[in-house]
C-alpha cells in the first residue's frame, strides 16, 4: 500500500502544485450572485405563476364545487 501511495504522489508534477495564480479567475470580476438569482428571471416567475394559478383553481374547485 505504501508503494502505491508513493507512486501516485510521484505522478504529480511541480507545475500541478503551483498555487501562485498567475491569472485572475474569471469569476473574480463578475458580481457574486445570490441564492435567489434564478427566481429573479421573468420566464421562471411566469412559469411558477401559471403553476400556482392552476393549483389555486384546482383547490378552489375541490373545496367549493365538489
Amino acid at each position: 500500500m505504501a508503494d502505491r501511495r508513493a507512486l501516485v504522489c510521484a505522478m504529480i508534477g511541480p507545475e500541478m502544485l503551483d498555487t501562485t495564480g498567475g491569472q485572475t479567475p474569471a469569476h473574480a470580476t463578475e458580481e457574486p450572485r445570490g441564492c435567489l438569482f434564478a427566481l429573479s428571471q421573468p420566464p421562471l416567475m411566469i412559469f411558477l405563476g401559471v403553476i400556482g394559478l392552476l393549483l389555486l383553481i384546482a383547490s378552489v374547485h375541490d373545496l367549493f364545487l365538489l
Side-chain angles (χ1 to χ4, degrees), residues 26-41:
H27 61 81
T29 58
E30 298 176 1
E31 274 188 37
R33 295 179 176 172
C35 296
L36 297 177
F37 174 74
L39 288 178
S40 66
Q41 304 303 312

Side-chain angles (χ1 to χ4, degrees), residues 5-62:
R5 185 175 294 160
L7 179 64
V8 171
C9 291
M11 293 170 63
I12 297 174
E15 64 276 357
M16 294 180 183
L17 298 175
D18 183 22
T19 58
T20 57
Q23 298 177 351
T24 58
H27 61 81
T29 58
E30 298 176 1
E31 274 188 37
R33 295 179 176 172
C35 296
L36 297 177
F37 174 74
L39 288 178
S40 66
Q41 304 303 312
L44 179 62
M45 292 305 294
I46 292 170
F47 172 74
L48 292 176
V50 169
I51 297 299
L53 182 65
L54 290 174
L55 288 172
L56 179 67
I57 291 171
S59 63
V60 167
H61 177 268
D62 285 348

